[in-house]
Every structure is written in C-alpha cells, then in structure tokens.
Amino acid sequence: MFVKELTPSDVGKLNRLVIPKKHATQYFPQVVAETADEVQVEFVDREDRPWTFRYCYWKSSQSYVLTKGWNKFVKEKRLRAKDTVAFYRCEESDGHRRTYCLIDIIRHNGGDDRSCGSSRSTSGVIGLGLGFKRKMEKGDEEDHRSGGFSRDKNGVMGVALDLSLGRATEKKDDIGGVVTGSTVPRKSSETQDKNKGLKLFGVWIADENDRR
Amino acid sequence: MFVKELTPSDVGKLNRLVIPKKHATQYFPQVVAETADEVQVEFVDREDRPWTFRYCYWKSSQSYVLTKGWNKFVKEKRLRAKDTVAFYRCEESDGHRRTYCLIDIIRHNGGDDRSCGSSRSTSGVIGLGLGFKRKMEKGDEEDHRSGGFSRDKNGVMGVALDLSLGRATEKKDDIGGVVTGSTVPRKSSETQDKNKGLKLFGVWIADENDRR
DNA sequence: CATCACACCTGTTAG
DNA sequence: TCTAACAGGTGTGAT
C-alpha cells in the first residue's frame, strides 16, 4: 500500500502515527467520526506476529492517526525517527480471496550508509519487501477479516512471498503494487540494482538494534 | 471511612479524584459498568453544604474515580496537592438509623510545619475528625438516603460529634471507625500528643489558606 | 471559538 | 519477577 518515514513525533511520546491523508483515504477504512468510534486495524509483521492498532481521525488536527497499539509497536521494534514503516495488503492465492495486512519496518542507517555502499546520496531509501512468511498451519488466531480494509486495489499475492517496492523520502511513496506470489515478475534480488541504495529485508535489518 | 492525600492530578485539570480501589470497593456503591453509568454520591461538608459527585469506574485504567462535581469542590475549597480529603459515614442516633455522608478537608502545611510545631518529621499527618455539626432543623434537603453507600461498617454516630482518627501518609489510612457521639472514648485533645504531628480539625485548619 | 468535562490510555512503580 | 493500581496524560463532545 504505502510506506512512511517516521518523524520524531511518530516514535515519541505522542503514541500515535500520523497516516498521510492521501494514503489514509485511499487504503484505510473510512473513519470520520462515524460508524462508532471504534475502528481497529489488524496487521501481522514479517514474523507473523499480530499487531492491532486503533485507527481514527482527529478532527482537531485534521489528521488520520494510528493510536492504540502503535506505541507498543514502536517500543518492541525499537523504531526511531527516519525509520520507515511499510503497509501491505496481501491476498491469499487459493481462490478464497482472503485478505490480510502486513506491516514491516525499514531501519534507517544511523547516520551514514556504509553498510550498503553503492552510490552517494543516501536519500531515497528503497525498501524491497521480501519473504513475508504467513504461517497458516496453526489455528490462525481469530480470522483476520482483511483487517477492515477496503479492496479497491487489485493486488493478488502469494502466501509466502511479498514483493513490492517503495520510495520513502519522495512524493511517490506508494508501494508500486502487490504482485502474485508464484509468478514473480521481477527477480527478487540482483536485478533491481539501479544503484539507488536498494536494501533487502532479511539482510540489513540484522543491525545492532535488532536482537533476533 | 477513609482519607486520601490529594495528588497534583487530583486537584489539576483532570477533574477527577481517584478513589483507591481498596476503599472504593469497601465503602462506595458498586459500579462496574452496570446499573447504567450514572452513580451519584452525596456528601455534606462541615458547614452542612451539600456536595454531589458522580462516581464511576473507568475500566480503561481500572480505577474508581469521582468526576462530575469534584472540580467545583476543589475550586471552592481551594484544595491543592498534599491536602487531604476525608470521607465519613455517619448515622443518626435517634433510632431511625438514617445515614448521611460527610466530606471534609485537611489542609497541608505549605512546606514546613511551623504552625503545629511539635516534633520534627512532618510525615505522618494525623487527621482527627471533630465537630461536624449536622443541622437537622430545616427541611433536610431531600432526604439523603445514605448517599447510596453500603453499610458493612458498624459505625454509629451522634448527630453533633464525629470523632475519628486517620493517618494520611501511611498504609493505614482507613479512619479507625466512627464512634458514638455522647460517649467519647478518648479525650478530644491533649491526649493524643504522641509527638507525631497530631492535628485537630477546627484548630490547625484555620491557617492562612482558610478563609472563614 | 474557547473552556470544561468526560471517558479513554499509558508509563511508572510498589507490592 | 511480574502484575495491578494509579498518577498523569490524551482526544472529543458539550456548553
């Protein structure tokens, strides 16, 4: 769906993530003080851990925000400003058209980008989603019914693979589209090397802040 | 019943008084999201002025609070943090067993305890309730039916005298029990001087903050 | 449009 | 140690 580079406020004491209006209205459930005050959105992360957030519209600031649950996510993932969160919507490819939502993080280099050193200009961090492994064996804790999201996008997606591309620090931060799992239109690695600082999930995330 | 030393939040902009769970469950009406959301408790102060508070349980914070009406009480009594509120339940001694509830305040010294100067160590403020004068002559505004309070305690009490002892800053903040009016088990003054900073209502409350 | 009042929420901390 | 209680916050609706 989209990514957002986190601001200091997003990871600070405000306990909320501002969803850019453009993406909120496009991808998130409709909430403008209607249909009660309870809109919960559900995601799973790359480790299949469920994350539930309260999503609401603050008309005082005229902004769409993720509130309850967001702070725990920040803490547990040890997110800091300049890190990026990515929101994906994925569909099962077994004909049931069940949709689930993924949330992932792209950590920002702590100042310089030695670790990925292709070209200069660290701006334009590109996150390439890869390797979400949605486990389906266990009881699938209480049926994520697409997390309440709309389905105007036609992204169909495999169970075990999520491939998408997003640019964080520019206007075009929409993730290009979710592709089917079994038919991969682009090779997952080595082909996207357009010298723009491409990073693969599962590779560079094993930094000093990530204990796993 | 009990006393509570007010926190900055209790007298601040939150407009609520947190009732410690222990005392709420013991003395206050049962409110756990049942019987609607409207539980009113009624008190009179030492001047026989009626005070009505909304009492409710916030399940989000799992705390019992006095909300509506509390702010006015704080304002009019000019309460500040470290002041203490005392809640009493009293019964008429005319055989009718009618119960009414009293709320009183114990003002904290503004930093040092010059005004009471017995020993050092201002901690352990002792409040000795004395001299509530419940006027019964006038129509007794609309029959306080014990304010909706339970009666598991056996405090029987005279109309004109309330004698009780409570320690504010220690664990034992329950007021020891309401005693009958005509039989005073302890002398009201001069006998409790165990060098612990004992303060009598009606004596030290006439400090610089009390205009009356 | 301010301020108040209320019902949520969370980090801290004491037991 | 871990949990529950609560002190200190928030946004929202009412006024």
Side-chain angles (χ1 to χ4, degrees), chain A residues 14 75 108 111 177 208:
Chain A
L14 278 351
K75 288 272 175 57
H108 183 257
E208 69 281 3

Side-chain angles (χ1 to χ4, degrees), chain B residues 107-160:
Chain B
R107 296 189 194 278
H108 183 256
N109 289 337
D112 48 10
D113 56 348
R114 284 175 286 92
S115 61
C116 202
S118 54
S119 71
R120 65 202 187 285
S121 171
T122 180
S123 69
V125 174
I126 294 179
L128 183 77
L130 179 69
F132 278 116
K133 49 180 179 12
R134 173 82 171 138
K135 303 193 211 73
M136 289 300 292
E137 53 269 26
K138 58 178 177 177
D140 187 37
E141 55 272 331
E142 73 155 65
D143 185 50
H144 311 263
R145 282 178 242 80
S146 84
F149 284 81
S150 61
R151 306 174 193 205
D152 45 15
K153 284 286 188 182
N154 50 4
V156 182
M157 152 129 205
V159 175

Side-chain angles (χ1 to χ4, degrees), chain B residues 1-4 19-20 23 27-28 85-88 173-175:
Chain B
M1 294 194 279
F2 64 93
V3 299
K4 190 202 177 185
I19 306 293
H23 302 129
Y27 299 111
F28 273 32
V85 278
F87 297 94
Y88 304 87
D173 48 356
D174 282 40
I175 291 176

Side-chain angles (χ1 to χ4, degrees), chain B residues 4 9 14 16 20-21 61:
Chain B
K4 190 202 177 185
S9 294
L14 274 358
R16 58 108 182 94
K21 183 173 191 174
S61 57

